[in-house]
Amino acid sequence: MKIIKVKDYEELSARAAEIVAELVQRKEDACLGLATGGTPLGMYRKLIEKHRLGEISFKNVSTFNLDEYCELEKTHPQSYHHYMRTNFFNHVDIEMDKVHLPEGDTADHEAAAQRYNQLLKEARIDLQVLGIGSNGHIGFNEPGTPFSQETFVVRLAEKTRNDNKRFFNSLEEVPEHAITMGINNILQAEAILLLASGKSKAEAIHKLIKGGMTEEFPASALKNHKNVTVIIDEEAASLL
Ligand code: GLP
């Protein structure tokens, strides 16, 4: 793993956006794996700026998001469909028929997961952007998920629901299930870019960098991948 240590969130966002922009400039029909959560918001803002300055176009880019909550309508303010539109897609020239997220709002979640898995098998993700959960989850692959896991319907860990309740009015409103790319899907990406910022990620980053490989810590699966870049700020690196 290549580790890039930066000062703060601002610098982390700028470095991440540079890496994505460099790929899109080099390969105009790049396929991006995208993440949600608080961490990549700054990266999306910087990519929008670069697009406005005419430095990059997403016209031929296709995207696959990591995950989506079950039971939330696409228009729900906390659905990842809504997140991606408002924080990124609506502000760049991407064509929406090249954008993919799991369909968490359909009646049959298992079938939706299978369909997404099939789409992923037919695609080739050039760069997968990842955040990391405080319990080491990537996407919504919670501790204990086999590294061989493909796209599936996951019951969210209480830790994750608690971490994410800040985006909702109460814990009860946080969905109990989600559809997520599995760890094996994530590992198929050509390159992986993991971002971590702030003290709340320091323990997870310590385990990722200093610890061994174990299914109890999902992000450790990345140690198996040949092209992983991790960008961390000073606070996330504080236990190293
Ligand atoms: C969420 C997402 C992950 C994300 C992680 C960290 O639950 N499913 O893809 O990386 O948790 O989120 P944050 O960046 O808000 O800390």
Side-chain angles (χ1 to χ4, degrees), residues 61-143:
V61 166
S62 55
T63 67
F64 285 86
N65 263 79
L66 281 169
D67 45 20
E68 176 59 291
Y69 288 116
C70 290
E71 308 294 352
L72 298 187
E73 296 286 331
K74 291 186 177 63
T75 51
H76 187 287
Q78 296 311 329
S79 78
Y80 290 161
H81 277 80
H82 186 265
Y83 171 112
M84 289 307 302
R85 280 178 185 267
T86 53
N87 292 308
F88 188 48
F89 297 149
N90 285 354
H91 309 285
V92 294
D93 59 347
I94 197 154
E95 295 190 350
M96 290 306 287
D97 61 346
K98 296 197 183 79
V99 156
H100 309 85
L101 289 95
E103 304 280 332
D105 59 347
T106 51
D108 189 341
H109 299 137
E110 296 293 343
Q114 289 317 311
R115 276 199 303 279
Y116 201 64
N117 203 50
Q118 194 51 43
L119 285 176
L120 287 169
K121 281 186 188 298
E122 290 158 13
R124 184 87 183 117
I125 293 181
D126 293 297
L127 178 68
Q128 175 67 57
V129 178
L130 294 178
I132 185 168
S134 59
N135 63 1
H137 76 223
I138 47 175
F140 271 133
N141 291 276
E142 300 286 21

Side-chain angles (χ1 to χ4, degrees), residues 2-6 15 19 193 229-233:
K2 178 180 173 195
I3 317 286
I4 302 178
K5 282 190 202 162
V6 296
R15 290 296 289 272
I19 291 172
L193 175 62
T229 302
V230 178
I231 311 184
I232 45 178
D233 64 11

Side-chain angles (χ1 to χ4, degrees), residues 36-39 66-67 80 131-133 137 139-140 160 164 166-167 201:
T36 52
T39 311
L66 281 169
D67 45 20
Y80 290 161
I132 185 168
H137 76 223
F140 271 133
T160 298
N164 286 0
R166 68 190 193 278
F167 298 115
K201 300 295 166 68

